[in-house]
Amino acid sequence: MSYAMVLCAALEGVTGHIVRVEADLAAGLPVVVLSGLPDSALNEARERVRAAIVNSGEPWPQRRIAVNLDPADLRKRGSAFDLPIALSILGGTGTLPLAGLDGVLVLGELGLDGSVRPVRGVLPMAAAAARQGIAKAIVPVGNAAEAALVPGMRVLAADTLGRVIGFLRGQCALIEPPEALPQPGGPQPDLADVAGQEMGRLGLEVAAAGGHHLALFGPPGAGKTMLAQRLPSLLPRLDDAASLEVTALHSIAGVLSPGEPLLRRPPYQAPHHTASVPALVGGGSGLARPGALSLAHRGVLFLDEAPEFTRQALDTLRQPLEDGTVTLGRSRGVVVYPAQVQVVLAANPCPCARPTGDAACACTPQVRRRYLGRISGPLLDRIDIQLELPPLKAAHLFTDATARESSPVVAQRVAAARETAAARWAGLDARCNGEVPGTVLRQRRWRLPDDVTRELRRRLDTGAMSARGHDKVLRLAWTLSDLTGLDRPGKAEINTALTLRDGGKP
Ligand SMILES: [Zn+2]
């Protein structure tokens, strides 16, 4: 027999597709011809496969070897094809029986020494195989835990090509994946750790309940980062579908921790202001790596010292925040990754990073305006809650942490408020108040009585507030009303919303 086929998979964005790796060996000059739109990494596969086969003690066939990856029109990136290519070539020589690979997904990169190395994106590839009725997979040892997350998938792991060859010849066994342990998850930062900052805590709770973006202004040490880090602890845990989706993105980025293969908590990403554009939105050669924006999908993206990010970096965030997806241009076509994030941004009130009113600050109002103006165009417009945090007073630091509300307590209120909002907007393409279009809020059905919105309309009429700002206040008021358990917002909720909207913002 001079023909053999092994099943593998390729990714388009986060969606996996089954690829048939075929090898045909014929008389002729001993060359390897790869077809089926291989990228440059795949050409390097040729050398790795040859060395791995020879170093596993198998003779290299001195024949013309044609390897085809089918379907041809599917773009294939990355190094997961090495192991299937090697096995199909050996199968084609007739020296290796491939009956054990019938209906089995095979993934893995090969080292020159014949070792099987982990690859990125195993979870979404195994999930795609399961959808097509494939119930068995052979993957690198380092990827076994994530592959085993796919319901109904029987996973076996390999550390060397030699072991897979031995397995197919009935001479040795593959490696069982580690047993799925209940997720310990480790301790999470808790809201009870945050001293003082009542407005900041309220802002965080409202942001969590309504899915509102949040901006925190304040001097260093006021607790901006502490608050931002605690937002995920207030958000509902991810449901099964969201959990697999988020984990798949981390799998493609190759950042899954072996100890916690399935991500159940909303992720938190805090890229540094010197981060490159690819680090923020994704990129790189071969299989594109999701950036911080996609790794924060269904979670929190924290931009600390937001004015220090480059204009270019801030601009690249604009479209993804609007669409909930990141589109990466590739040499051939594009890759789209999901990126529905809740943004928290933080900034010092002025470039010298001293508190407002500090005598040593020589920044003119103009300088301060220009500093914060850097974030205003692309980002600040979209942010519902904008708060200035005062410097912490010593008294705050000495209050007993047990007297403060903890994250689980607040998370319960948040969950209840989210349920109320989801039920109200059930017919719309919105899951929380932050996503509801202004036109809906202003419809007769949801319009609030004139005496409730008087102050809001006054600000709009006098030009003190934009139409966009007006809608944001309405959204916040609905969230406050949901948190309080009211039927709809009253004057008090509008007033609090106004304070959250631009409470003491510099
Ligand atoms: Zn200053």
Short mmCIF file of all heavy atoms in Angstrom, two decimals, residues 350-354 361-363 368, ligand 1:
data_model
loop_
_atom_site.label_atom_id
_atom_site.label_comp_id
_atom_site.label_asym_id
_atom_site.label_seq_id
_atom_site.Cartn_x
_atom_site.Cartn_y
_atom_site.Cartn_z
N CYS A 350 -3.21 64.20 36.49
CA CYS A 350 -2.31 65.02 35.68
C CYS A 350 -0.99 64.30 35.45
O CYS A 350 -0.67 63.34 36.14
CB CYS A 350 -2.13 66.40 36.28
SG CYS A 350 -1.11 66.45 37.73
N PRO A 351 -0.24 64.76 34.46
CA PRO A 351 0.94 63.99 34.04
C PRO A 351 2.00 63.85 35.14
O PRO A 351 2.80 62.91 35.08
CB PRO A 351 1.48 64.79 32.84
CG PRO A 351 0.76 66.08 32.82
CD PRO A 351 -0.51 65.90 33.58
N CYS A 352 2.03 64.72 36.11
CA CYS A 352 3.05 64.58 37.15
C CYS A 352 2.64 63.57 38.20
O CYS A 352 3.41 63.25 39.10
CB CYS A 352 3.35 65.93 37.80
SG CYS A 352 2.10 66.45 38.99
N ALA A 353 1.41 63.06 38.11
CA ALA A 353 0.92 62.00 39.00
C ALA A 353 0.84 62.43 40.46
O ALA A 353 0.99 61.62 41.35
CB ALA A 353 1.77 60.74 38.86
N ARG A 354 0.61 63.72 40.71
CA ARG A 354 0.37 64.16 42.09
C ARG A 354 -1.12 64.38 42.28
O ARG A 354 -1.84 64.64 41.32
CB ARG A 354 1.12 65.46 42.38
CG ARG A 354 2.63 65.27 42.45
CD ARG A 354 3.29 66.55 42.94
NE ARG A 354 4.74 66.37 43.01
CZ ARG A 354 5.56 66.62 42.00
NH1 ARG A 354 5.09 67.06 40.85
NH2 ARG A 354 6.86 66.43 42.13
N CYS A 361 2.48 70.29 42.45
CA CYS A 361 2.07 70.09 41.06
C CYS A 361 2.10 71.42 40.33
O CYS A 361 1.46 72.38 40.74
CB CYS A 361 0.67 69.49 41.00
SG CYS A 361 -0.07 69.55 39.37
N ALA A 362 2.90 71.46 39.29
CA ALA A 362 3.02 72.70 38.52
C ALA A 362 2.27 72.61 37.20
O ALA A 362 2.43 73.45 36.33
CB ALA A 362 4.50 73.00 38.29
N CYS A 363 1.46 71.56 37.04
CA CYS A 363 0.75 71.37 35.77
C CYS A 363 -0.38 72.40 35.65
O CYS A 363 -1.19 72.53 36.57
CB CYS A 363 0.17 69.97 35.67
SG CYS A 363 1.37 68.67 35.98
N ARG A 368 -3.22 69.59 32.06
CA ARG A 368 -4.03 68.48 32.55
C ARG A 368 -5.10 68.10 31.53
O ARG A 368 -5.34 66.91 31.31
CB ARG A 368 -4.73 68.88 33.86
CG ARG A 368 -3.76 69.24 34.94
CD ARG A 368 -4.53 69.76 36.15
NE ARG A 368 -4.06 69.09 37.32
CZ ARG A 368 -4.84 68.53 38.24
NH1 ARG A 368 -6.14 68.56 38.11
NH2 ARG A 368 -4.34 67.93 39.27
ZN ZN B 1 0.62 67.83 37.96
#
